[in-house]
Every structure is written in structure tokens, then in C-alpha cells.
Amino acid sequence: MLTITFDNKQYTVQTGTTVKAFLESIQKLTPSVVAARLQGKFVDLSAPIQDGARELGIVSVTDPEALPILRHSASHLMAQAVQELFPGTKLTIGPAIEDGFYYDFSAANPFTPQDLATIEQRMKELVKKNIPLERMELTKDEAQKLFRDRHEDYKLEILRDIEGTISVYRQGDFVDLCAGPHVPSTGFIKAFKLLSTAGAYWRGDEHNEMLKRIYGTAFPDKESMKAYLARVEEAKKRDHRKIGRELGLFSIEDEIGAGLVLWHPKGAVLRQVIENYWKDLHTASGYQFVYTPHIAKLSLWNTSGHLGFYRENMFPSMELESVDYQLKPMNCPFHIAIYKTDTRSYKDLPLRWAELGTVYRFERSGVMHGLMRVRGFTQDDAHVFVTPEQLKDEVMNILGLAIRYLRTFGFEQFNVYLSTRPEKYVGSLENWERAESALKGALEAMSMAYSIDPGEGVFYGPKIDIKIKDILGREWQCSTIQIDFNLPERFDVSYIGDDNQKHRTVMVHRAIMGSLERFIGVLIEHYGGAFPFWLSPVQAKVIAINTRNVDYANEIVLALKDRQIRADVDARDETLSYKIREATLQKIPYLLIVGDKEQQAKTVNIRRSRETQQSVLSVDETVELMNKKNRERITL
């Protein structure tokens, strides 16, 4: 017998009693209970309560913790349907992911949209059968025999790396190698949808077989799923690749190379506006700008440690005059080289050096995605060299700068994470503790809520990550502040202290946007291409109703451009409704319509894009209105 605590009460339980039997005995097993927490670990309801267990909790289908369990079970349900419909299909892996689940199959042919509909229908039939999901624990030999008899070669390969007792789940004739836990039966999986197909290399290695992946999602109820699918459809409409093409912002061309962005004139204007604000804000915050080359000797990356830690993400080196050179994956060593051109005193610190530096990383073809994942991108990079005593204050300065910058672009919701020392790290424990304390102290001094991400710091130091939420509630990693003990040691980065002795400089890596490309991709999707006035590549379109109004329209454009307003004229011999529709599709914020009446009165008929309400202002009033919006960077 053993004693466990459940719902703040203590119960005596026979060792080996299942969670389900215990809950039934105290009348706490309801139809909504899908799993349990036993001593802090998620388990099936069929799990036995063994010696050592002290606490038990239930997981209801509506609990956030239930979603991964539900979705993982849905991936098994889908795999069962696939194997029933497509005999000979082999199983690989099928995990739950952030918004759903997927399963990778070794199949003769790719899955079509019609196949997905057929698979989904079979899944519904299996749900109606309410098939139990049964956990079996086998020896390695028993598990190997089971999957050998079923000709599941990929499962056998996975088994090679597993020792000890093997857990397997059975639902009807379907069997899968899995750690669990799962819902009690297929009848619990009530709301699901198969979304798309893709290719994926086995174990992420392009030298292995290309598998057939099916993505899906599942929710505890149809209402939640309906809301999610509506967000998915809205996300498709806001896809930055589609909008970028429609608005003429950027393109990625096969003849240039995958993951290499071509900025078109309008995209270049958008980028320039962002860069100019970034530079202005950094100048006001005490930063100085530097520029560094795109390549360096390969030996530099050996000293920095990138060849040892990061080689697979770097482009191949090139030989010039018997010396190997490398496209830069990072800007850090260059900034260190500038620092070391002179002897630095504690009186010189902090030194804040910033660069919009383009770097090159070898992303695999399967993971690139528009502007979000590219091979050549520009980091809004900065490195701050400080003494240990200056670290906390400097982190606070960076946090303030980051929040101000992101809010200017209309982002108000943030999730902040503090990542602590990983298992493998460089530097002394004393330095790690000092750095983590400085990061925590800065966050708390600024009253910023944050979550600890234990062990997720980079090998060279702890970090703070700021993730923004867009209009659809999606998280995007942007700002990061990283403390580095590795590079100062490798490059002997130091300063002369007030004791006239040499001391190790603390180096802070930080980025506010992360990369310009990704940040612009997020902005496009956040605003659906309808940017705030101050960001819009074309801020006003002056539409001449008749050809006799073209000269007046050009006068207005000149007045606007004189105040740095980006405007042009539509003088085409087309109908007014056609011109308005064209400008609206291009998501230009303001349409300034002028005809004979406006020309005679020296006024402008103003309407916001996609709105029918109009107002009439003088030319001077129009210019001042737009100048104010530009100057104040109003996001509405």
C-alpha cells in the first residue's frame, strides 16, 4: 500500500492500481479526463501507481497540457488510416507540434488533396469505433520481432538507439513505437483537420530518402478548431511571399539562387525607411556605426570557433592566392578586430558598435521560406564591450531600446525568456552566475515579466530573447541579448582597469530586429501589406480625374515631396473608379483626388485607401497632415 495526494487530499492505494481504477474508486473519472500527472510526469490513465508516487493530478481535454497528448494521438489515428488505405506504406515518426501534428511516411507516391480528404474520412470512421489505445511494454528483442514481422524498417532503425524497456501503443490492428502518453481511445479525438502535405528527409539528412509528410491539427472541440482554421486562412491571405509579389517589394529568383533576396524599388524604400529609423535611434542611444567586409580569411573562423561549432551552416570556403577565405556567417570577429586596434581603458567603456551587416549561412533547401529563412540576410547587429560592473545597466539600456523600437512598429505584446547555462558551456561558473544575475536584475528592475528557459543558453553565455506577437497571435523571435565568455577569451579581448592591470572585457551580442529580411516579412504579414503611413513605400497617390488636371496634380506631388512625403501621380487616361481600385490594391494609404473643382479652389479631395469617407483640405493642410503622420510615425 502507498499514500498519494490527489486534489489536496490523501488516499491510501494498493501498489499497482491503475490511475483509471483509482479515479473510478473515488468517482473522479469524468468523460473529459484524458490523462494524468503522476509525480509530475504525464501518463496514460492505464498507468499503474507504483511505489515512489506521491502526487496525482488529472488532465482534462480542455487543459492546455492536453493539447499535445490529443494531437499526438491524432497523428497515430492518421497513421492508422493511411496504412489501412495505402497498404505497404511504412511508418517513420509522427509528433505533436505547436499548432497540430504531422506524420512522415515512406510511401510509393505523394499524397494528393483527394487523398487527404479520403484519409480524413477514414479517421472519422475510426473515431466512431472508439478503439482503445493500449500501451504495451516490451523487451528490445520483443519489440524488434514485432516490427520486423510488420516490415517496419524505420521503426527497427529507431529501436537500435533505444535501450531498456520499450513502450508500444496498439489501437486495433495498428501498432506504433511510442513513449506516450495518449488519450484512452479514438473516440476522444473529436475535432481534427488534415491541412497539407510536404516532403521531408528521413532524420533531416538530405542524403536519406525523401519521405511523404502530412500535416494536421486537432482541438478539444469544433469551435476551437474553427477559430484556428479561420486564423490559418487569414494567414494565407497575409502570406508575405504573395503580398511581396503583388506589391512589387521583393523576389527570389532561381537564376540568382535560393534564399537570396532581390529588393525591388518599393521594397528598397521600405527597407530604407526601417534602416533610417534604426540608425537615428541608435545614434541617439550612444552607438557608433562600423562597416566590415563580407569575407575574411578562414583562419579567423577557426580562432572564433565557428569552424568547430558551426561549420555545417557555413558556405564552402574559397581559395585566393593560396589563402582560404570564407563568406562571413557572423559579424562578431570583425568588431573584435576593430576593438583590438587600440588599447582600451575602463574609461572608454562601454563601447557600443552597430552594423547592418549582411551575413551568409548555408540553409538547406527544405527549410527556406520567403524572407523568413534565407541564405543571405542583414542582421541589425551590435556588440557592446563593457566591464563586468557595467553589465546590468547596459542590459537595461538594450531592453529599453528594443521595446521602444518594436512598439514604434506597432507591436505591443511580448513574451520574454531568460535562457540559462546549458549542460555544455565555456567560461567559469562564477562568470555565468554573474551574467545570469545581471540579466535577471535588468529584467526585474524594468518590471518586465519573463519566463526562465532552463539550460537553453548558448554555449558561450546566457541570453534574453524577446518574442513579439503579431495581429494573429503568432510569436516571432526578434530581439536577443547574449552575454559572451567565449570570444573575449579566444581573441584575448581586454581593457586596462583603474588598477592599471589588464582585465577581460565582457562582450554583449545584441540584435533588435534579428534580421531585416525576417522583420520585414513579419511586418508584411502583421499589416497584410497595408503598412502604416510612415512605412508605406508610396504614401499618397494623386489621381487626376482628367488630363487637364495633371499639371495641378504634379504641383501637389512636388509640395509633398518637398516635405519628404513619398507620392506620385496617376495621370493615365483611365476611369476614376479604375484608378482608385488600382491604388487600393496597391494598399497606398491616401488617395488624393483632384478635378476641375479642386483645381479651381486649390484644394484636395482626400480619402483613405479602402474607405469611402472623404474630406476636402487645402494643399497646405494636406501636406501638414501627412508631414505630421510621417514625423510622429503613427501606426494607425
Side-chain angles (χ1 to χ4, degrees):
M1 302 291 286
L2 55 88
T3 301
I4 63 168
T5 301
F6 173 76
D7 201 17
N8 295 321
K9 296 180 182 179
Q10 289 191 331
Y11 296 86
T12 301
V13 182
Q14 180 69 43
T15 302
T17 302
T18 67
V19 172
K20 179 181 179 183
F22 167 72
L23 293 175
E24 285 176 334
S25 72
I26 61 171
Q27 298 182 333
K28 292 292 185 179
L29 183 64
T30 66
S32 67
V33 177
V34 294
R37 285 187 305 275
L38 190 58
Q39 210 58 24
K41 180 183 177 183
F42 292 110
V43 297
D44 304 299
L45 294 180
S46 62
I49 303 173
Q50 303 285 19
D51 290 336
R54 293 290 180 269
E55 294 185 4
L56 176 69
I58 57 174
V59 180
S60 296
V61 71
T62 54
D63 292 339
E65 300 94 332
L67 263 183
I69 298 171
L70 182 70
R71 288 168 174 171
H72 194 180
S73 302
S75 77
H76 280 224
L77 178 70
M78 179 178 71
Q80 180 180 6
V82 167
Q83 286 202 314
E84 289 183 3
L85 292 167
F86 303 92
T89 299
K90 296 183 186 297
L91 304 172
T92 64
I93 59 170
I97 53 177
E98 183 177 357
D99 289 320
F101 59 89
Y102 71 80
Y103 212 113
D104 288 344
F105 301 97
S106 176
N109 300 301
F111 296 106
T112 66
Q114 182 55 48
D115 290 335
L116 294 193
T118 304
I119 295 165
E120 198 172 293
Q121 182 56 41
R122 179 60 62 89
M123 291 170 69
K124 291 176 181 177
E125 294 168 6
L126 295 171
V127 167
K128 288 181 180 178
K129 291 182 179 181
N130 199 27
I131 304 167
L133 275 76
E134 303 171 279
R135 180 185 175 95
M136 302 184 296
E137 295 192 346
L138 309 175
T139 66
K140 187 167 184 175
D141 287 343
E142 289 171 335
Q144 287 175 326
K145 182 179 186 308
L146 173 65
F147 288 106
R148 192 181 300 113
D149 291 345
R150 299 176 72 89
H151 307 290
E152 294 289 3
D153 303 331
Y154 293 91
K155 297 298 180 183
L156 288 169
E157 185 176 332
I158 293 170
L159 276 169
R160 290 180 206 151
D161 301 325
I162 302 177
E163 297 299 332
T165 302
I166 310 296
S167 57
V168 171
Y169 280 81
R170 180 188 297 276
Q171 57 195 60
D173 295 330
F174 175 78
V175 177
D176 202 354
L177 175 67
C178 184
H182 285 284
V183 296
S185 67
T186 59
F188 282 78
I189 311 170
K190 299 183 184 300
F192 56 86
K193 180 73 177 174
L194 301 188
L195 302 174
S196 61
T197 61
Y201 292 111
W202 170 235
R203 297 201 161 182
D205 187 338
E206 65 251 46
H207 299 104
N208 290 336
E209 178 191 352
M210 174 69 80
L211 304 170
K212 283 72 177 178
R213 176 174 293 182
I214 299 177
Y215 284 102
T217 193
F219 285 88
D221 55 71
K222 290 183 179 179
E223 290 74 21
S224 299
M225 188 177 74
K226 184 178 178 181
Y228 170 76
L229 294 176
R231 291 196 300 272
V232 169
E233 286 305 308
E234 183 62 28
K236 288 179 182 177
K237 294 176 188 175
R238 292 169 177 265
D239 189 322
H240 74 281
R241 295 166 299 180
K242 171 177 170 288
I243 293 174
R245 181 174 61 254
E246 292 170 349
L247 299 187
L249 301 176
F250 71 92
S251 64
I252 298 172
E253 306 294 338
D254 286 342
E255 61 187 312
I256 302 297
L260 302 173
V261 182
L262 299 175
W263 292 99
H264 296 206
K266 288 182 181 177
V269 169
L270 173 61
R271 177 171 169 153
Q272 184 180 40
V273 171
I274 294 170
E275 289 182 3
N276 287 345
Y277 174 57
W278 184 89
K279 290 176 181 177
D280 290 345
L281 191 59
H282 280 73
T283 298
S285 301
Y287 284 78
Q288 297 173 300
F289 301 115
V290 296
Y291 294 92
T292 60
H294 289 238
I295 64 171
K297 289 181 178 180
L298 189 64
S299 57
L300 178 74
W301 308 106
N302 187 45
T303 303
S304 70
H306 285 94
L307 285 181
F309 287 99
Y310 207 72
R311 187 72 175 106
E312 63 179 16
N313 298 107
M314 296 165 65
F315 274 79
S317 59
M318 63 191 89
E319 184 181 322
L320 298 171
E321 298 178 339
S322 301
V323 177
D324 288 331
Y325 285 82
Q326 176 70 48
L327 279 170
K328 67 175 177 179
M330 308 280 186
N331 300 304
C332 339
F334 296 90
H335 295 191
I336 290 172
I338 296 173
Y339 182 94
K340 293 191 67 177
T341 58
D342 202 352
T343 300
R344 310 291 176 177
S345 162
Y346 72 97
K347 296 178 181 179
D348 300 322
L349 305 184
L351 279 176
R352 306 180 183 99
W353 289 339
E355 177 181 15
L356 289 166
T358 301
V359 298
Y360 303 89
R361 299 181 188 173
F362 180 55
E363 299 285 2
R364 271 51 180 180
S365 56
V367 301
M368 286 183 291
H369 178 74
L371 297 176
M372 306 301 194
R373 197 85 177 258
V374 291
R375 286 177 172 166
F377 58 92
T378 301
Q379 286 185 310
D380 68 315
D381 216 353
H383 295 95
V384 185
F385 300 90
V386 298
T387 69
E389 295 75 23
Q390 295 170 331
L391 185 55
K392 177 184 170 182
D393 287 344
E394 194 57 36
V395 171
M396 290 175 64
N397 289 338
I398 296 169
L399 285 169
L401 176 67
I403 297 302
R404 179 180 174 187
Y405 190 86
L406 296 171
R407 281 182 171 153
T408 301
F409 288 89
F411 298 110
E412 293 292 341
Q413 291 185 295
F414 312 98
N415 285 332
V416 181
Y417 300 89
L418 171 58
S419 299
T420 58
R421 187 179 73 252
E423 186 176 337
K424 294 182 179 180
Y425 62 92
V426 298
S428 68
L429 279 173
E430 180 186 0
N431 281 339
W432 272 88
E433 289 169 1
R434 178 182 289 178
E436 288 179 10
S437 176
L439 295 181
K440 286 180 184 177
L443 289 167
E444 290 166 3
M446 298 185 69
S447 300
M448 293 182 69
Y450 65 95
S451 300
I452 297 286
D453 212 351
E456 290 302 313
V458 282
F459 74 94
Y460 53 77
K463 63 173 180 168
I464 292 172
D465 288 326
I466 299 176
K467 295 183 180 182
I468 59 174
K469 279 193 175 183
D470 69 10
I471 197 169
L472 298 180
R474 299 173 299 180
E475 274 193 349
W476 300 96
Q477 171 65 54
C478 283
S479 309
T480 187
I481 306 169
Q482 303 175 354
I483 312 302
D484 190 352
F485 304 120
N486 181 52
L487 292 183
E489 193 69 37
R490 283 176 172 268
F491 285 97
D492 189 23
V493 182
S494 61
Y495 66 94
I496 304 301
D498 59 1
D499 58 358
N500 212 30
Q501 299 298 308
K502 192 166 129 177
H503 298 271
R504 182 69 66 225
T505 311
V506 179
M507 185 176 180
V508 182
H509 306 252
R510 48 113 294 192
I512 305 302
M513 294 182 284
S515 82
L516 266 168
E517 284 73 11
R518 192 160 181 266
F519 190 70
I520 290 174
V522 173
L523 282 174
I524 292 171
E525 298 200 0
H526 181 65
Y527 288 109
F531 300 110
F533 181 81
W534 73 279
L535 280 175
S536 296
V538 179
Q539 296 172 304
K541 176 74 74 173
V542 184
I543 299 176
I545 295 177
N546 297 299
T547 53
R548 58 180 174 271
N549 307 126
V550 171
D551 287 344
Y552 180 56
N554 281 321
E555 287 178 23
I556 296 169
V557 167
L558 286 175
L560 290 168
K561 287 185 173 179
D562 189 52
R563 300 299 292 272
Q564 286 75 52
I565 308 299
R566 299 180 291 279
D568 56 31
V569 173
D570 188 341
R572 293 175 298 169
D573 188 16
E574 299 285 356
T575 65
L576 177 61
S577 60
Y578 179 82
K579 293 177 182 180
I580 290 173
R581 181 176 179 274
E582 287 262 295
T584 301
L585 288 174
Q586 284 297 300
K587 304 183 189 295
I588 298 169
Y590 279 96
L591 312 183
L592 310 183
I593 301 166
V594 294
D596 293 338
K597 183 172 66 173
E598 288 78 18
Q599 184 170 340
Q600 185 174 7
K602 296 298 181 183
T603 59
V604 179
N605 190 316
I606 301 176
R607 62 185 286 178
R608 293 282 298 268
S609 184
R610 298 187 304 277
E611 294 181 6
T612 55
Q613 187 176 355
Q614 302 176 36
S615 58
V616 177
L617 297 176
S618 69
V619 175
D620 288 345
E621 289 171 332
T622 302
V623 172
E624 184 50 38
L625 167 71
M626 296 187 179
N627 182 51
K628 183 177 187 294
K629 284 181 172 289
N630 232 12
R631 188 175 62 248
E632 296 180 2
R633 298 187 177 93
I634 297 170
T635 55
L636 298 178

